[in-house]
Amino acid sequence: MKALKIILSIFVMGLIFGGCAYNWILEEEAVDPTDPDAPEVSFSAQIVPIFSSKCITCHSTGGQSPDLTSDNAYSSINSSRYINTSDPASSLIYTKPMGSHSQTYSTAEAALVLTWITQGAQNN
Ligand code: HEC
C-alpha cells in the first residue's frame, strides 16, 4: 500500500511538473511554420503590427515600395513579387528583411510571417 502511494505521488508530480514544462515551452517557442496544426496567424492582428513598428518609417504611402502602412499593406504585398504560396520561404516579404536589410525580423516575427504565407497569405 505504501509503495502504491509513492508510485502514485511520483506520477502526480510528474503530471504537475511535466505540465508546467510543457506550458513554458509553448510560451517561449516561436510558432512553427511547418506545423499543419499551428494556430492561424492573423494578418491584421499579428503581421501588420510588425510592419508598423519596424518598417513604415521607410515603407510609407508614397515612400519606398511596398507601402506597408496598415491600410495598404495587404494590397501592396498581395502579388507574386512579394508572396509565393507554393514556396513560402522564397517570398520577398519574408526573405528581404532577413539578411542585411535596414530592418530585420526577429526570429519570432520571421516565423509568424512564414507561417502566415504558408497558411495561404490571407487578408485575415
Ligand atoms: C531605413 C529604411 C527601411 C526600413 C526601416 C525598411 N526598409 Fe525595406 N527597403 C528599403 C529600401 C531603401 C528598399 C529598396 C532597396 C532594396 O531593395 O534594398 C527596400 C526594399 C524592401 C523590399 C523589396 C522591395 C522590392 O519590390 O524589391 C521589401 C520586401 C522590404 N524592403 C521589406 C521591408 C520590411 C518588411 C521592413 C520591416 C521589417 C523593411 N523593409 C524596413 C528601406 C527600408
Side-chain angles (χ1 to χ4, degrees), residues 54-55 58-59 64-65 81-82 96-97 101-103 105:
K54 292 195 158 174
C55 316
C58 304
H59 293 276
Q64 181 62 51
S65 65
R81 176 168 181 82
Y82 298 108
K96 187 77 183 182
H101 202 52
S102 331
Q103 265 289 5
Y105 297 134

Side-chain angles (χ1 to χ4, degrees), residues 50-59 64-66 68 76-77 81-82 91-98 100-106 109 113:
I50 301 172
F51 295 158
S52 300
S53 70
K54 292 195 158 174
C55 316
I56 58 169
T57 41
C58 304
H59 293 276
Q64 181 62 51
S65 65
L68 297 176
S76 306
I77 63 172
R81 176 168 181 82
Y82 298 108
S91 304
L92 195 58
I93 195 62
Y94 171 69
T95 58
K96 187 77 183 182
M98 295 286 280
S100 57
H101 202 52
S102 331
Q103 265 289 5
T104 51
Y105 297 134
S106 68
E109 288 166 348
V113 171

Side-chain angles (χ1 to χ4, degrees), residues 8-95:
L8 211 69
S9 50
I10 289 174
F11 178 72
V12 168
M13 287 198 356
L15 274 184
I16 291 168
F17 289 108
C20 284
Y22 186 61
N23 286 341
W24 182 78
I25 288 169
L26 275 185
E27 271 167 19
E28 292 295 307
E29 264 188 4
V31 60
D32 176 4
T34 61
D35 178 3
D37 297 324
E40 188 174 276
V41 173
S42 159
F43 183 73
S44 57
Q46 291 169 280
I47 305 299
V48 165
I50 301 172
F51 295 158
S52 300
S53 70
K54 292 195 158 174
C55 316
I56 58 169
T57 41
C58 304
H59 293 276
S60 57
T61 311
Q64 181 62 51
S65 65
D67 176 351
L68 297 176
T69 55
S70 54
D71 287 348
N72 300 325
Y74 188 80
S75 55
S76 306
I77 63 172
N78 184 26
S79 75
S80 57
R81 176 168 181 82
Y82 298 108
I83 292 171
N84 181 356
T85 46
S86 40
D87 183 12
S90 73
S91 304
L92 195 58
I93 195 62
Y94 171 69
T95 58

